[in-house]
Amino acid sequence: MGEIIKCVKTALAQASEEFAAVQTMGGRMHVRWDHGAQATPHGQIVYFAEFLGTAGIFDNWVKTCPLHYSSPNASSVRDVLGTLMLGVLSGSKRYAHLAGIRGDQVAAQALGLNKIVSEDSVRRALSAMAPGAAQQWMQQALKASVVAALDRSWILDLDTTIKSLYGHQEGAQLGYNPHKPGRPSHALHTY
């Protein structure tokens, strides 16, 4: 009378719950979450790579880049720009910080790179571009990322948050601070 009916999942159903399939520029990748492992700053790169690939943003950015090499031994423009983008996404603020992503072949594959180049290659590539051409290239890329939103109605939501600070931190100013009145804070604006 009080039988318990257990649902048995097929092996295919169990396997599909263990990972998510993501189509990136480097091919199909499977993402598996390990809640017991430490976090990695590159864990979400495959989803961002899927967005860049679907929208064609990264490919257009690489195709319109004014960087041209004369040496057959030079790194590809895609590898240089991909290394730069991965460095920025991982929080690199200096060329030397790019060494921290050199061993991340998953991120390289997600962007469709052959390899992650050295920080010296990125530095030389950026210095080889004419400043005027580089500025025009980046302005066009920025414009292309927002021009599609200009022909339809949209809402811009602005939120301001106060971050209380302790000590003497860069950019701290006295202003509205409901948590610690009279103390310096940062006013963070999110759009």
Side-chain angles (χ1 to χ4, degrees), residues 40 125 142 150 168 185:
T40 174
L142 181 60
L150 298 178
H168 302 286
S185 62

PDB file of all heavy atoms in Angstrom, residues 40 125 142 150 168 185:
ATOM      1  N   THR A  40      38.187  29.649 -10.076  1.00  0.00           N
ATOM      2  CA  THR A  40      39.193  30.101 -11.021  1.00  0.00           C
ATOM      3  C   THR A  40      38.675  31.355 -11.724  1.00  0.00           C
ATOM      4  O   THR A  40      37.482  31.455 -12.004  1.00  0.00           O
ATOM      5  CB  THR A  40      39.514  29.010 -12.056  1.00  0.00           C
ATOM      6  OG1 THR A  40      40.393  29.563 -13.042  1.00  0.00           O
ATOM      7  CG2 THR A  40      38.270  28.499 -12.748  1.00  0.00           C
ATOM      8  N   ALA A 125      53.700  43.943 -30.746  1.00  0.00           N
ATOM      9  CA  ALA A 125      52.595  44.071 -31.707  1.00  0.00           C
ATOM     10  C   ALA A 125      51.860  45.398 -31.517  1.00  0.00           C
ATOM     11  O   ALA A 125      51.566  46.094 -32.485  1.00  0.00           O
ATOM     12  CB  ALA A 125      51.628  42.908 -31.548  1.00  0.00           C
ATOM     13  N   LEU A 142      34.201  50.018 -30.872  1.00  0.00           N
ATOM     14  CA  LEU A 142      33.310  50.474 -29.810  1.00  0.00           C
ATOM     15  C   LEU A 142      31.974  50.935 -30.384  1.00  0.00           C
ATOM     16  O   LEU A 142      30.906  50.613 -29.863  1.00  0.00           O
ATOM     17  CB  LEU A 142      33.970  51.600 -29.012  1.00  0.00           C
ATOM     18  CG  LEU A 142      33.170  52.169 -27.856  1.00  0.00           C
ATOM     19  CD1 LEU A 142      32.864  51.082 -26.823  1.00  0.00           C
ATOM     20  CD2 LEU A 142      33.928  53.301 -27.196  1.00  0.00           C
ATOM     21  N   LEU A 150      20.781  51.730 -31.118  1.00  0.00           N
ATOM     22  CA  LEU A 150      20.321  53.095 -31.332  1.00  0.00           C
ATOM     23  C   LEU A 150      19.045  53.197 -32.166  1.00  0.00           C
ATOM     24  O   LEU A 150      18.403  54.238 -32.179  1.00  0.00           O
ATOM     25  CB  LEU A 150      21.428  53.918 -31.989  1.00  0.00           C
ATOM     26  CG  LEU A 150      22.704  54.061 -31.163  1.00  0.00           C
ATOM     27  CD1 LEU A 150      23.747  54.852 -31.933  1.00  0.00           C
ATOM     28  CD2 LEU A 150      22.416  54.706 -29.822  1.00  0.00           C
ATOM     29  N   HIS A 168      43.303  55.219   4.016  1.00  0.00           N
ATOM     30  CA  HIS A 168      43.476  56.200   2.948  1.00  0.00           C
ATOM     31  C   HIS A 168      43.599  55.455   1.625  1.00  0.00           C
ATOM     32  O   HIS A 168      44.686  55.040   1.230  1.00  0.00           O
ATOM     33  CB  HIS A 168      44.720  57.056   3.205  1.00  0.00           C
ATOM     34  CG  HIS A 168      44.670  57.769   4.526  1.00  0.00           C
ATOM     35  ND1 HIS A 168      43.860  58.870   4.743  1.00  0.00           N
ATOM     36  CD2 HIS A 168      45.284  57.520   5.703  1.00  0.00           C
ATOM     37  CE1 HIS A 168      44.002  59.277   5.988  1.00  0.00           C
ATOM     38  NE2 HIS A 168      44.859  58.468   6.600  1.00  0.00           N
ATOM     39  N   SER A 185      34.343  57.556   1.070  1.00  0.00           N
ATOM     40  CA  SER A 185      33.747  56.383   0.431  1.00  0.00           C
ATOM     41  C   SER A 185      33.947  56.477  -1.078  1.00  0.00           C
ATOM     42  O   SER A 185      34.391  57.492  -1.603  1.00  0.00           O
ATOM     43  CB  SER A 185      32.253  56.312   0.762  1.00  0.00           C
ATOM     44  OG  SER A 185      31.587  57.441   0.248  1.00  0.00           O
TER      45      SER A 185
END
